[in-house]
Amino acid sequence: MAPSAAEWEARQQLAACYRVFDMLGWSEMIYNHITLKVPDEDGAFLINPFGLHFSEVTASSLVKIDIDGNKLANSPYPVNLAGFTQHAVFHRHLPDAHCIMHTHTTAGAAVSSVEGGLRPTNFYACGFAGQIAYHDFEGVTVRFEEGERLIANLGDRRVMFLRNHGILVMGRTLPEAFLKHWSLQRACEIQIATATMGRALEVPPEVIAVHQRDLSKVQIPGGPGKADFAAMVRLVDRIDRTWRD
């Protein structure tokens, strides 16, 4: 059965996102994952086909599964158990987690591996102060019982450092999750660069509060991340448009 118009739109958006991640240098061989709920289908979400590089993902190759890991449409590709285990628990329990992104970028993995995690020492990091959850490393995420601890440690936050591992962000839309991931990645990159230069200056809490209050004043109408993601998709299209297939 051919996908609905809404599902096809979601497939194209997610495929574009994989290509954007690759363009930005966030690929990790054939690993890591971004998932997106299928509109109007309770418990159904799309995930990358295990075995393909981010640069190879297309709208039609994405795998449609339910929160128990069952394929809901024919696909020759398997699903990464680590990706399913981690993402399914959030999609199952968090109605607002429409899109979930998990990466092992060098900067993200590095900051997740130091005591104190992300510190409010730069513009981007200040935007996340008080909004990040932490989950201790338990090995590769393939055991379902870890899901309870992931949910408990996340609490009401939607950005998490998986300690000694990488970063995890969630959004009510894919563009929102993308902007969170991009901003968190920049925060981590700048923290690492700053650490090579000496002791970093931490921004006072009262300034952080003003900064977070005023961030909405520099957003373009249309929803968080919409214009940012659209700009990145235009860049990807200049390189290769096969993700649309």
Side-chain angles (χ1 to χ4, degrees):
M1 180 183 298
S4 66
E7 180 184 331
W8 187 250
E9 183 179 355
R11 283 178 172 274
Q12 288 201 318
Q13 187 182 56
L14 182 56
C17 190
Y18 276 104
R19 297 300 184 95
V20 169
F21 269 46
D22 180 61
M23 179 182 68
L24 293 173
W26 299 342
S27 295
E28 186 82 358
M29 290 287 287
I30 59 172
Y31 305 99
N32 294 177
H33 10 83
I34 311 165
T35 56
L36 182 64
K37 285 184 178 179
V38 178
D40 306 320
E41 291 191 40
D42 188 39
F45 63 95
L46 301 168
I47 191 169
N48 52 316
F50 193 28
L52 295 189
H53 190 266
F54 279 14
S55 65
E56 299 177 298
V57 174
T58 63
S60 58
S61 69
L62 290 163
V63 185
K64 181 180 177 181
I65 59 176
D66 64 19
I67 52 178
D68 295 315
N70 302 304
K71 290 184 182 180
L72 299 176
N74 290 332
S75 173
Y77 300 103
V79 171
N80 185 346
L81 179 59
F84 162 72
T85 303
Q86 183 185 97
H87 288 234
V89 69
F90 295 120
H91 282 307
R92 183 189 299 271
H93 295 287
L94 306 174
D96 60 312
H98 185 71
C99 181
I100 302 172
M101 301 176 171
H102 169 57
T103 60
H104 295 173
T105 65
T106 300
V111 174
S112 79
S113 303
V114 296
E115 186 175 352
L118 189 69
R119 306 304 306 162
T121 59
N122 64 69
F123 178 96
Y124 296 107
C126 287
F128 289 102
Q131 300 176 15
I132 297 177
Y134 290 85
H135 174 74
D136 287 342
F137 185 60
E138 299 185 22
V140 62
T141 314
V142 294
R143 290 168 287 104
F144 293 103
E145 67 270 15
E146 186 176 353
E148 296 180 6
R149 293 182 289 279
L150 282 164
I151 289 291
N153 288 330
L154 181 69
D156 61 356
R157 299 177 179 181
R158 295 298 180 263
V159 177
M160 175 180 273
F161 274 103
L162 304 173
R163 286 195 174 105
N164 310 100
H165 185 170
I167 59 180
L168 185 77
V169 302
M170 306 173 192
R172 294 164 294 181
T173 66
L174 185 148
E176 180 184 65
F178 169 76
L179 184 58
K180 284 183 183 179
H181 188 285
W182 183 87
S183 300
L184 187 61
Q185 173 71 10
R186 289 292 292 136
C188 291
E189 290 170 349
I190 296 169
Q191 177 166 310
I192 291 170
T194 305
T196 67
M197 301 173 66
R199 184 174 179 179
L201 300 173
E202 292 208 1
V203 177
E206 60 273 18
V207 177
I208 291 173
V210 171
H211 176 66
Q212 292 187 353
R213 182 199 66 194
D214 291 346
L215 278 174
S216 62
K217 296 180 180 179
V218 295
Q219 289 182 356
I220 295 177
K226 184 175 181 180
D228 309 77
F229 183 66
M232 294 298 101
V233 174
R234 291 194 296 272
L235 291 179
V236 164
D237 271 342
R238 296 176 192 173
I239 301 169
D240 183 3
R241 294 174 61 90
T242 59
W243 59 268
R244 296 178 178 273
D245 300 334

